[in-house]
């Protein structure tokens, strides 16, 4: 059973427009959610996170929204730039379980921003 | 130098061979992880270590073993490689105390691409 799901394998947007990447989770024990960005031939790098006690966190052009009742989060990128083209992974972790600190990842969404 | 260094970056081997992937970090983090990525899939946890004396299996540990030689070094071994272990392997570290708002932020190496023929 996949606990973190990114249902859109790919997304294409025009430069300057908004990119919205979605993520759903099933485990109610998750209390932190993170987004990582991965370029080809590189490891993933941390982008932004949100605690389950919040519903929004913003960092520059990147905003993450959390809807706990729907077990859904989304990453908004405004405005999108060609350099944002990458694979974006959603990840979740819990500080409550015996193995706190383990991160569970979604399958990723490949974002392409067209000039 | 990179914070997390993985060697080798690419390796082609044959079925049945023993392979070791090495990871070293300069972050000073206690926690280290090995993940595997297959095409179109996310990262799946193989093993993790929260300190030198603590090693735990992840969700896909069968066929793999690890060694935490020091705080800075965490190696992954395939005792007898098989073709379905062909994948991209990532080492990562974390320090929850330094995470963004308490989140356990992972710092990844650049990856080791392993092909088993």
């Amino acid at each position: 059973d996949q606990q973190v799901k990114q249902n859109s394998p790919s997304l294409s947007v025009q430069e300057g427009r908004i990119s919205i990447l979605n993520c759903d989770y099933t485990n109610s024990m998750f209390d932190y959610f993170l987004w990582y960005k991965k370029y080809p031939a590189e490891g993933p790098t941390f982008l932004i996170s949100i605690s389950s006690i919040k519903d929004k966190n913003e960092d520059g052009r990147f905003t993450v929204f959390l809807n706990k009742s729907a077990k859904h989060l989304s990453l908004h990128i405004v405005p999108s730039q060609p350099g944002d083209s990458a694979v974006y992974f959603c990840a979740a972790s819990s500080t409550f379980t015996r193995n706190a600190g383990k991160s569970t990842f979604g399958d990723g969404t490949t974002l392409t921003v067209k000039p | 130098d990179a914070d997390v260094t993985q060697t080798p970056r690419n390796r082609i081997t044959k079925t049945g061979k023993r392979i070791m992937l090495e990871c070293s970090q300069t972050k000073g983090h206690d926690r280290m992880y090995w993940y595997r990525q297959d095409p179109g899939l996310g990262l799946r946890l193989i093993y993790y270590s929260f300190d030198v004396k603590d090693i735990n299996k992840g969700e896909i540990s069968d066929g793999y073993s690890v060694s935490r030689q020091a705080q800075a070094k965490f190696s992954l071994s395939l005792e007898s490689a098989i073709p379905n272990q062909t994948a991209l392997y990532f080492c990562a570290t974390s320090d929850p105390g330094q995470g963004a708002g308490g989140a356990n932020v992972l710092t990844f190496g650049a990856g080791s691409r392993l092909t088993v023929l």
Side-chain angles (χ1 to χ4, degrees):
Chain A
D1 177 35
Q2 195 169 11
Q3 298 187 65
V4 178
K5 293 184 180 180
Q6 295 176 254
N7 291 317
S8 298
S10 63
L11 174 68
S12 181
V13 300
Q14 207 66 35
E15 180 179 6
R17 306 295 288 268
I18 184 172
S19 295
I20 300 177
L21 293 86
N22 294 303
C23 179
D24 297 296
Y25 63 97
T26 58
N27 189 340
S28 299
M29 298 300 288
F30 288 143
D31 57 352
Y32 282 99
F33 303 91
L34 304 89
W35 287 93
Y36 291 85
K37 174 176 167 180
K38 183 186 180 304
Y39 292 118
E42 296 182 12
T45 56
F46 170 69
L47 188 58
I48 192 169
S49 66
I50 188 167
S51 162
S52 60
I53 63 173
K54 297 185 176 181
D55 54 19
K56 176 182 175 181
N57 188 29
E58 189 172 355
D59 183 3
R61 297 186 296 114
F62 302 91
T63 303
V64 56
F65 296 92
L66 176 62
N67 182 335
K68 283 184 64 178
S69 61
K71 293 189 175 65
H72 176 84
L73 62 152
S74 59
L75 174 68
H76 292 211
I77 306 173
V78 183
S80 301
Q81 300 173 353
D84 296 329
S85 297
V87 178
Y88 289 79
F89 290 103
C90 173
S93 65
S94 171
T95 55
F96 297 110
T97 64
R98 174 179 173 273
N99 296 316
K102 289 167 47 183
S103 296
T104 301
F105 285 80
D107 289 342
T109 296
T110 300
L111 174 65
T112 302
V113 180
K114 298 179 179 179
Chain B
D1 287 344
D3 291 330
V4 181
T5 301
Q6 294 184 230
T7 55
R9 292 294 312 278
N10 289 283
R11 182 72 182 268
I12 299 174
T13 191
K14 295 183 178 180
T15 298
K17 294 292 187 180
R18 183 178 187 273
I19 293 295
M20 178 180 286
L21 305 180
E22 298 184 333
C23 177
S24 62
Q25 53 117 343
T26 58
K27 300 284 286 185
H29 291 169
D30 285 329
R31 297 184 174 190
M32 297 189 73
Y33 310 79
W34 275 104
Y35 281 91
R36 165 179 172 161
Q37 186 190 11
D38 294 280
L41 299 179
L43 289 86
R44 292 182 291 168
L45 184 62
I46 306 172
Y47 271 95
Y48 61 104
S49 170
F50 282 178
D51 67 44
V52 175
K53 296 181 180 179
D54 176 70
I55 292 179
N56 304 279
K57 293 182 177 181
E59 56 185 308
I60 55 164
S61 59
D62 287 348
Y64 302 94
S65 63
V66 290
S67 174
R68 185 80 184 266
Q69 299 95 326
Q71 185 202 38
K73 296 184 181 296
F74 192 38
S75 59
L76 176 72
S77 293
L78 288 69
E79 296 301 325
S80 179
I82 56 177
N84 76 1
Q85 292 177 312
T86 293
L88 186 55
Y89 292 85
F90 289 103
C91 175
T93 72
S94 73
D95 180 350
Q98 296 178 1
N104 187 42
V105 176
L106 300 174
T107 301
F108 286 88
S112 295
R113 184 170 296 281
L114 176 65
T115 302
V116 183
L117 302 177

